[in-house]
Amino acid sequence: MSAASAAFLREWRLKARGGGWAAAVGLFAVAGGLAPLALGRDPEFLAAAGPAILWLSAILSLLIGLDGLYEEDFRTGGLAVYRLSPLPFPLVMLIKTAAAWCATCLPLVLIAPVLLIAFGAEDPVSGTLGFLLGTPGLALLAAALGALCAGMRRGTALIVFLALPLLTPALVFGPASAGASPMVPLLILGAFSLQALALSPFIASAALKAQMA
């Protein structure tokens, strides 16, 4: 087994045992299930508002699920061990984020089609594909901001405050991916995640190295 595969399995197991994914999935499912009670029974209104509510719920669930992504390694010295490993530190950041995405976001993607159908979305398949394309970018941005706020008190609140403006593309084009013309929103969501992939691991790496110096 390669060092990258071993690191991914370690991070995934730690994240799965931590339980944050359960809180994230629970918030997403409960918010999606209870929203129709507050919005009323108008099918057209539910179909229009449902995808936006699910994306907002997914973002909040993601920020909760990724809380404490680096704190455990700070306490145990895991990040120092990673710095001594043969893996480049930005790759370590990417592996940690990928494992967190698999533990936290992948269940949301699997639940999304059920909730989109329940809301009566125009295109649940494209809406689900939008979650699959957009949530990696959300996870990468949240991980980079988490690295900047690692070790701070009330870091989660600061992450939410800093993240919301950066997550605007997902809030705008994510719900549109479940509409009548999903192609352009899906392409933009894919570009959003690719841009985050190009920048976030290096930002997280530099931020953590500065704090460990």
Side-chain angles (χ1 to χ4, degrees), residues 68-132:
L69 184 60
Y70 305 106
E71 276 70 11
E72 182 68 23
D73 282 332
F74 258 115
R75 287 196 299 268
T76 61
L79 289 175
V81 173
Y82 274 134
R83 287 195 67 180
L84 298 175
S85 73
L87 295 174
F89 208 52
L91 178 59
V92 172
M93 299 298 101
L94 182 59
I95 290 172
K96 288 180 70 68
T97 306
W101 182 87
C102 289
T104 303
C105 297
L106 188 56
L108 304 187
V109 175
L110 297 177
I111 295 173
V114 177
L115 295 177
L116 287 169
I117 292 172
F119 274 105
E122 292 186 56
D123 193 344
V125 175
S126 295
T128 303
L129 184 57
F131 277 101
L132 186 62

Side-chain angles (χ1 to χ4, degrees), residues 1-13 82 87 91 95:
M1 182 183 295
S2 67
S5 300
F8 177 85
L9 288 175
R10 173 187 180 272
E11 295 297 331
W12 184 83
R13 288 168 181 164
Y82 274 134
L87 295 174
L91 178 59
I95 290 172

Side-chain angles (χ1 to χ4, degrees), residues 15-42:
K15 197 63 184 174
R17 285 202 301 262
W21 64 272
V25 173
L27 174 61
F28 183 68
V30 169
L34 294 181
L37 297 178
L39 296 176
R41 299 182 180 180
D42 185 355

